[in-house]
Amino acid sequence: MLGYPAHFGQLECLKLIASQKFTDKRIGYLGAMLLLDERQDVHLLITNCLKNDLNSTTQFAVGLALCTLGAIASPEMARDLASEVERLMNSPNAYIRKKAALCAYRIIRRVPELLEIFLPATRSLLSEKNHGVLITGVTLITEMCQNSPDTLEHFKKIVPNLVRILKNLILAGYSPEHDVSGVSDPFLQVKILKLLRVLGRNDAEASEAMNDILAQVATNTETSKNVGNTILYETVLSIMDIKSEGGLRVLAVNILGRFLLNNDKNIRYVALNTLLKTVHVDTSAVQRHRSTILECLKDPDVSIRRRAMELSFALVNPQNVRTMMKEMITFLEKSDAEFKAQCSAGIIHAAERFAPNKKWHLDTLLKVIIAAGNYVRDDVITCMIQLISESTSQQGYITLQLWKALQDDKIDKQPLIQVATWAIGEYGDLLLTVSIEDMDMVRPTEDEVIEVYQRLLWSPQNSATTKQYTLLSLTKLSTRFINSNPKIQQIVSSFCSSLHIELQQRGVEFTQLFGKHGNLRAALLERMPPMELVRQETDAQANGDSEQLETKSDDSPKHTNNESNALLDLLGSDSSDLDVIKTTNTTTQAVTNSNNQDLLDLLGGLDVSPSIPTTDTGLNLISENNNPSIPFNNTNSNFLTGDFFSTNTNTIKEKDVPTLTAFERNGLKITFALEKLPEASNTLSINVTATNTTLSNMTDFLFQAAIPKTFQIQMLSPSGTVLVPNGEITQVLRVMNPNKNVLKMRVRISYTIDGTTVQEQTEVNNFPNTIWD
Amino acid sequence: MMQFMLLFSRQGKLRLQKWYVAHPDKLKKKITRELITTILARKPKMCSFLEWRDLKIVYKRYASLYFCCAIEQEDNELLTLEVIHRYVELLDKYFGSVCELDIIFNFEKAYFILDELLLGGEIQETSKKNVLKAIAAQDLLQEEETPQGFFEDHGLG
């Protein structure tokens, strides 16, 4: 209490409550309300005291007891004292009646079964004059109706009563007792409106009966003060929720529109919030307030800006997409960092859905990646690259635009650099020849381009991924540009000694293309055919897969490269899924082989020559398969999954792989795929796959397994320790069972999510026995 | 239904807390700490509502004191502001231009007034006069019980 420990006072409180003096009781109950919670043993004692006081003759003692019961009622207490409360609801004293009604409300909330006891006493509460009893009665009925559909039916017939009470409140003259700045008892009005909403929901007849009064409240309420707006707000909610007339709904949306212009930020906030809820029901009415909503994007209050942004995106449609997106991009440029990711995602989504033409779509995406910088989501890069590739007529134009954006290079715009270098690499020749009649731009010269590339590649601020894009792009330019080959060759070969292993590998490989294998270069670096993908699917997949890549190696670049999806695409759906290999065609087999060589190659140090045929196979394969571009990322992803394939290729040829779910809780799912190793019949290989269906990262993921002593277990290292949303981690266990016993396993999982460490333990007993046969 | 009400000072000191839901002490402390830091960090230009877990938090500052209520999704946040205002008016009437010190030294009175205005997280009385009348009657009852000169005898007068 007051920041000091006071838990030792619980028993003292009980003593005080048991005292005869009102002073003692008053303090005792106060202490009880503050110090006790439902888990206290003293509850039994206090239930007795309450029972005594509920039967007291002093109204204030009864009042105190009811008040305490209302604050700390536990389910047991509620059951024990429900009948007392019911008796008090019929008390002649209004002071006690209103408290008893709220106690009943509280009891029903805790123990809904007790509802029936209170039904008879409740009806009469509405015929009261006293506002205290009325409001508590309305509250109680609302709770009852929300609790049981039967009661809801039962109370449908009180709609006229409620309407009458509400009407009296509006029309009644000034009554000083209940007046709040010119509005007569707003508390009661709001409660009644809420009850009407509950009663009128999905009921045409009841809704009909309240249309008039709602319209009356909506038009007659004074709006200069917060109280008036409170009532209007509740009215709007009711109108939206019941089956009201069309005209009334328009009125309601207009009220919200007026709210948006209000000086009070709180009112603007509730208006946006309510509009957000209703926008899907009645878009056209909300559309009319579009300009006001857009105005709210400039509000000084962050939460209002956020609501306005969400609402704006909800309002976008094919007709207004151009103007809306213009506004949103202006907003994006000016907004704080926290908005950028969400806002850019929203714009991209809207652009994708409603783009009037490709040029506009490309322009919009370009503006987004310029304005949002590093905040754009990774899949945007893929998306944009794909779009550029698809829209053959605009390639020259957009490449030039990207070039322009690239020139005033900013290190905080890695996605921009990536897209720009990709496009320039692909369409470098167009960049030099595109017609610039209708554009206010200068065509760059080859030297200028090379210079910018040099700057990008040498800048320490650019990420490794960006440099990988740039390096490949530069190599491609060697076939697009006529005079710059020596210079390009020089830059590329300087990467042969790069400290970054990925860049080094590329440097070495590309250098070979300029030397010994120069004859292959033109064919290898040819422009890619347009990618016409089914966008939705590939995007989703691109996400998941790239994230998976990330989890597999910590230094793996954070980006989505469409080239690796294309490969994964080709492999089937999920690279960790063992079925993949069953469906393997010769191509993938070859790729897998080459992986292994790559792996060897990498391990074998810097011996260049054996890698060349390997890379060549890789490259050729990829170009045969219309794989969009940069081959080295394939090597990357293959390398990462390489050992996985090689461990399993030989094991899963013959029979179906039984899977079982070992664990599923709090968004974490762990499945076991069981296989027998053909070369050792008593050895079971378990592929553990952990998937994260929450929205947060799980870090420090650790999977441990224990089995009885008669078994032997060997755990291979997991594919990672970070489980991103929708990502997965795989790990292989080998269990040796020389005695063919029944396998049981105890599993312990620990991870950190949102800063809290979670540890879970479970036992897996449902291994199929047939597995050992 | 209002789930809890907190009063705390500009310095983050909790002055009054009223819980209408049962939470263990530890959780109450955690919630309190979290909300106090969140609200104190908000700028005056921001609106009085925030979404916190599945609750709506409504707060308002009166002089150096923050009044903060947690309500459920279907509750009316503007009305909650009115409830807070009503409570402040009642305190003001009772203490005669209330200040933070009144609540520190007479916290029990502040609780009594709140208990006459709200019960189980819902409004029980909409008339200011009735609330004050009930409090005055109970105070009178207390006074009658206290023997004349009791405080003086104990050096408290």
Side-chain angles (χ1 to χ4, degrees):
Chain A
M1 198 185 289
L2 295 174
Y4 296 97
H7 52 275
F8 50 82
Q10 292 175 359
L11 279 175
E12 300 302 321
C13 288
L14 275 178
K15 283 185 202 155
L16 283 172
I17 293 172
S19 151
Q20 284 305 310
K21 277 192 180 170
F22 179 73
T23 320
D24 296 349
K25 268 196 203 306
R26 204 177 182 194
I27 294 295
Y29 276 123
L30 175 63
M33 279 188 271
L34 288 173
L35 301 176
L36 302 187
D37 58 41
E38 284 182 2
R39 271 157 295 276
Q40 306 291 347
D41 318 331
V42 275
H43 253 208
L44 222 107
L45 298 170
I46 205 168
T47 310
N48 282 328
C49 294
L50 284 172
K51 200 161 194 161
N52 278 337
D53 281 330
L54 288 177
N55 292 315
S56 159
T57 45
T58 335
Q59 62 158 339
F60 292 118
V62 181
L64 280 176
L66 283 170
C67 188
T68 312
L69 181 60
I72 60 170
S74 63
E76 300 81 46
M77 215 189 248
R79 284 200 188 85
D80 290 343
L81 298 174
S83 55
E84 309 286 329
V85 172
E86 194 268 341
R87 186 176 53 78
L88 290 172
M89 272 172 77
N90 294 318
S91 144
N93 186 335
Y95 179 76
I96 290 174
R97 239 184 357 252
K98 68 180 187 205
K99 283 188 194 279
L102 278 184
C103 262
Y105 160 80
R106 172 72 186 209
I107 287 171
I108 293 172
R109 268 189 90 109
R110 298 316 309 262
V111 193
E113 306 92 270
L114 294 173
L115 188 145
E116 309 238 323
I117 316 181
F118 299 109
L119 266 181
T122 310
R123 275 303 298 274
S124 57
L125 291 175
L126 284 188
S127 41
E128 280 286 338
K129 280 272 178 311
N130 183 311
H131 283 212
V133 183
L134 261 179
I135 192 169
T136 54
V138 172
T139 312
L140 177 60
I141 295 174
T142 312
E143 182 61 28
M144 286 176 161
C145 292
Q146 279 171 339
N147 248 316
S148 102
D150 290 343
T151 332
L152 182 64
E153 275 314 306
H154 173 78
F155 280 113
K156 286 269 159 82
K157 53 180 181 284
I158 63 167
V159 172
N161 300 22
L162 290 170
V163 170
R164 205 172 46 243
I165 298 172
L166 198 51
K167 196 173 247 165
N168 284 340
L169 277 176
I170 310 171
L171 300 178
Y174 176 74
S175 82
E177 201 176 329
H178 299 290
D179 183 84
V180 178
S181 41
V183 179
S184 162
D185 207 340
F187 302 102
L188 183 55
Q189 287 198 39
V190 167
K191 289 284 173 202
I192 295 178
L193 286 166
K194 189 172 168 190
L195 179 54
L196 287 177
R197 171 157 88 239
V198 173
L199 292 172
R201 196 175 287 155
N202 298 325
D203 183 337
E205 200 186 327
S207 303
E208 179 64 41
M210 51 188 93
N211 267 337
D212 277 352
I213 188 72
L214 288 176
Q216 219 165 346
V217 177
T219 44
N220 283 4
T221 306
E222 167 76 44
T223 57
S224 56
K225 293 266 165 54
N226 181 46
V227 257
N229 289 320
T230 307
I231 295 171
L232 281 181
Y233 171 48
E234 196 69 32
T235 316
V236 169
L237 289 179
S238 292
I239 292 174
M240 290 304 181
D241 234 21
I242 66 168
K243 287 184 178 300
S244 50
E245 289 165 358
L248 209 52
R249 282 173 178 264
V250 174
L251 181 67
V253 175
N254 286 345
I255 291 175
L256 292 176
R258 262 203 328 259
F259 276 8
L260 288 178
L261 297 170
N262 201 297
N263 281 329
D264 189 338
K265 51 199 177 303
N266 295 334
I267 291 169
R268 289 200 301 270
Y269 175 87
V270 293
L272 285 171
N273 234 347
T274 320
L275 284 172
L276 203 56
K277 272 182 231 154
T278 52
V279 69
H280 306 288
V281 187
D282 200 351
T283 323
S284 59
V286 184
Q287 278 298 355
R288 242 172 291 142
H289 302 282
R290 202 174 65 219
S291 54
T292 332
I293 293 164
L294 288 174
E295 209 49 44
C296 288
L297 286 174
K298 301 187 186 101
D299 206 280
D301 186 339
V302 218
S303 17
I304 292 182
R305 280 207 302 272
R306 180 178 298 278
R307 299 290 139 178
M309 181 179 85
E310 285 167 21
L311 190 56
S312 305
F313 282 125
L315 287 179
V316 178
N317 64 19
Q319 286 79 50
N320 63 21
V321 64
R322 282 169 191 267
T323 48
M324 287 294 279
M325 285 305 112
K326 214 170 126 206
E327 292 283 345
M328 294 319 288
I329 286 170
T330 333
F331 173 68
L332 179 67
E333 280 162 1
K334 290 185 191 140
S335 66
D336 309 333
E338 50 176 324
F339 282 108
K340 287 200 164 156
Q342 207 188 348
C343 185
S344 57
I347 296 178
I348 284 154
H349 181 69
E352 202 164 294
R353 275 176 63 198
F354 302 117
N357 59 46
K358 286 219 165 112
K359 180 162 185 279
W360 181 88
H361 192 174
L362 281 170
D363 278 338
T364 311
L365 286 182
L366 177 66
K367 280 181 203 147
V368 171
I369 58 170
I370 292 175
N374 283 346
Y375 296 99
V376 292
R377 283 210 322 256
D378 292 338
D379 57 326
V380 175
I381 304 168
T382 336
C383 216
M384 182 148 180
I385 287 180
Q386 194 251 327
L387 189 73
I388 296 175
S389 154
E390 211 176 62
S391 36
T392 33
S393 58
Q394 300 295 337
Q395 279 160 352
Y397 162 76
I398 192 70
T399 310
L400 197 59
Q401 293 289 341
L402 281 164
W403 160 252
K404 192 176 153 214
L406 191 64
Q407 273 176 314
D408 27 74
D409 161 40
K410 305 255 170 47
I411 43 126
D412 58 344
K413 288 172 185 163
Q414 300 291 330
L416 170 68
I417 302 178
Q418 289 171 13
V419 175
T421 50
W422 184 90
I424 295 172
E426 281 309 310
Y427 313 111
D429 44 344
L430 293 179
L431 181 64
L432 302 182
T433 54
V434 67
S435 82
I436 44 166
E437 283 154 20
D438 48 347
M439 285 180 274
D440 169 29
M441 297 180 75
V442 201
R443 253 187 245 137
T445 64
E446 290 185 12
D447 285 343
E448 278 169 3
V449 179
I450 305 288
E451 206 174 296
V452 169
Y453 269 67
Q454 206 159 357
R455 204 179 69 222
L456 290 174
L457 284 169
W458 260 272
S459 157
Q461 279 102 337
N462 285 334
S463 73
T465 320
T466 309
K467 287 186 183 172
Q468 289 163 18
Y469 269 91
T470 316
L471 195 57
L472 178 77
S473 164
L474 186 63
T475 314
K476 287 209 165 194
L477 282 182
S478 71
T479 61
R480 315 277 193 272
F481 287 0
I482 308 141
N483 308 321
S484 310
N485 260 346
K487 210 161 176 187
I488 293 175
Q489 198 175 346
Q490 193 196 342
I491 299 173
V492 171
S493 60
S494 71
F495 275 86
C496 292
S497 55
S498 168
L499 282 178
H500 194 275
I501 195 153
E502 289 285 346
L503 288 173
Q504 191 189 46
Q505 188 189 353
R506 286 159 177 68
V508 170
E509 288 170 359
F510 296 152
T511 311
Q512 293 300 322
L513 290 180
F514 286 101
K516 212 159 97 196
H517 296 272
N519 55 331
L520 290 174
R521 188 160 49 110
L524 276 177
L525 299 178
E526 215 168 62
R527 190 185 294 172
M528 290 189 310
M531 303 174 246
E532 308 237 351
L533 301 171
V534 185
R535 205 170 295 160
Q536 225 61 48
E537 280 170 20
T538 36
D539 277 353
Q541 205 181 332
N543 272 331
D545 289 341
S546 71
E547 278 163 3
Q548 204 180 326
L549 280 182
E550 232 178 278
T551 55
K552 283 180 183 169
S553 95
D554 287 339
D555 63 346
S556 156
K558 177 163 174 69
H559 69 297
T560 315
N561 31 25
N562 61 323
E563 54 277 15
S564 70
N565 335 329
L567 177 73
L568 291 167
D569 219 17
L570 180 149
L571 279 175
S573 53
D574 190 351
S575 60
S576 66
D577 189 351
L578 296 164
D579 289 339
V580 169
I581 309 211
K582 281 203 288 187
T583 58
T584 316
N585 50 31
T586 45
T587 329
T588 16
Q589 202 62 54
V591 174
T592 325
N593 288 340
S594 72
N595 295 332
N596 295 341
Q597 281 170 33
D598 276 348
L599 182 65
L600 291 171
D601 175 33
L602 278 170
L603 292 172
L606 298 169
D607 188 4
V608 182
S609 43
S611 85
I612 297 156
T614 323
T615 330
D616 280 355
T617 1
L619 288 171
N620 288 337
L621 274 173
I622 285 150
S623 41
E624 273 164 28
N625 285 299
N626 288 350
N627 189 323
S629 68
I630 327 183
F632 42 69
N633 276 314
N634 291 331
T635 5
N636 175 16
S637 63
N638 292 340
F639 170 56
L640 292 168
T641 49
D643 67 331
F644 184 76
F645 286 127
S646 53
T647 25
N648 296 316
T649 15
N650 46 358
T651 60
I652 0 127
K653 274 164 198 156
E654 70 280 75
K655 66 172 168 186
D656 269 357
V657 180
T659 36
L660 57 96
T661 303
F663 175 85
E664 190 164 15
R665 204 176 298 157
N666 299 340
L668 177 68
K669 182 176 177 182
I670 294 182
T671 53
F672 285 179
L674 313 173
E675 305 142 31
K676 284 272 279 296
L677 298 180
E679 65 271 16
S681 66
N682 58 359
T683 305
L684 177 69
S685 163
I686 304 178
N687 289 298
V688 181
T689 309
T691 35
N692 174 7
T693 53
T694 63
L695 296 173
S696 314
N697 278 338
M698 296 178 175
T699 54
D700 304 329
F701 181 83
L702 183 64
F703 173 88
Q704 292 167 300
I707 50 170
K709 283 212 180 81
T710 50
F711 296 84
Q712 285 174 319
I713 189 165
Q714 184 190 3
M715 293 180 77
L716 306 186
S717 56
S719 61
T721 56
V722 181
L723 203 46
V724 294
N726 287 323
E728 56 178 46
I729 290 181
T730 56
Q731 185 168 15
V732 177
L733 313 181
R734 296 222 179 97
V735 178
M736 265 81 78
N737 183 6
N739 305 331
K740 309 231 168 183
N741 288 336
V742 178
L743 177 59
K744 280 183 184 170
M745 187 182 284
R746 179 165 293 163
V747 171
R748 182 193 287 170
I749 302 130
S750 65
Y751 57 89
T752 311
I753 185 163
D754 297 333
T756 49
T757 307
V758 183
Q759 201 166 57
E760 303 268 20
Q761 212 161 331
T762 180
E763 210 157 297
V764 188
N765 295 329
N766 50 345
F767 287 100
N769 284 332
T770 50
I771 194 82
W772 302 112
D773 299 334
Chain B
M1 182 186 122
M2 191 186 290
Q3 296 221 337
F4 56 84
M5 185 182 212
L6 303 173
L7 263 68
F8 53 88
S9 68
R10 183 86 202 101
Q11 288 75 38
K13 267 258 182 261
L14 190 62
R15 293 300 181 205
L16 186 139
Q17 52 176 334
K18 183 84 195 173
W19 297 80
Y20 296 106
V21 282
H23 287 313
D25 258 355
K26 223 178 180 172
L27 182 61
K28 283 188 194 172
K29 282 223 178 72
K30 188 169 165 256
I31 294 175
T32 315
R33 208 171 335 114
E34 204 179 316
L35 279 179
I36 291 179
T37 35
T38 322
I39 291 174
L40 287 180
R42 282 174 72 88
K43 301 193 178 64
K45 264 192 233 151
M46 298 179 170
C47 68
S48 306
F49 313 127
L50 54 135
E51 270 159 35
W52 181 81
R53 304 201 184 162
D54 56 341
L55 297 176
K56 296 197 271 196
I57 305 292
V58 179
Y59 70 91
K60 195 162 164 116
R61 185 177 162 180
Y62 285 89
S64 63
L65 213 52
Y66 281 87
F67 290 70
C68 160
C69 297
I71 53 170
E72 287 164 1
Q73 279 308 318
E74 65 270 26
D75 291 327
N76 186 328
E77 49 272 67
L78 293 175
L79 188 75
T80 311
L81 277 181
E82 285 305 312
V83 173
I84 294 178
H85 188 70
R86 170 56 63 90
Y87 182 45
V88 175
E89 279 178 342
L90 287 170
L91 288 172
D92 203 56
K93 267 257 171 59
Y94 184 81
F95 289 111
S97 85
V98 67
C99 68
E100 200 181 330
L101 285 177
D102 288 321
I103 295 172
I104 297 174
F105 291 118
N106 297 298
F107 69 92
E108 80 282 10
K109 303 281 187 210
Y111 278 113
F112 293 150
I113 296 173
L114 186 59
D115 284 339
E116 287 296 330
L117 177 67
L118 300 175
L119 199 161
E122 291 285 350
I123 309 157
Q124 60 160 315
E125 183 54 69
T126 58
S127 145
K128 266 188 271 186
K129 210 175 78 193
N130 285 352
V131 175
L132 292 171
K133 237 168 43 191
I135 295 287
Q138 294 179 61
D139 284 350
L140 192 70
L141 212 58
Q142 245 176 297
E143 248 168 61
E144 282 166 5
E145 278 178 358
T146 321
Q148 210 70 52
F150 175 84
F151 288 115
E152 284 79 3
D153 292 350
H154 290 77
L156 295 165

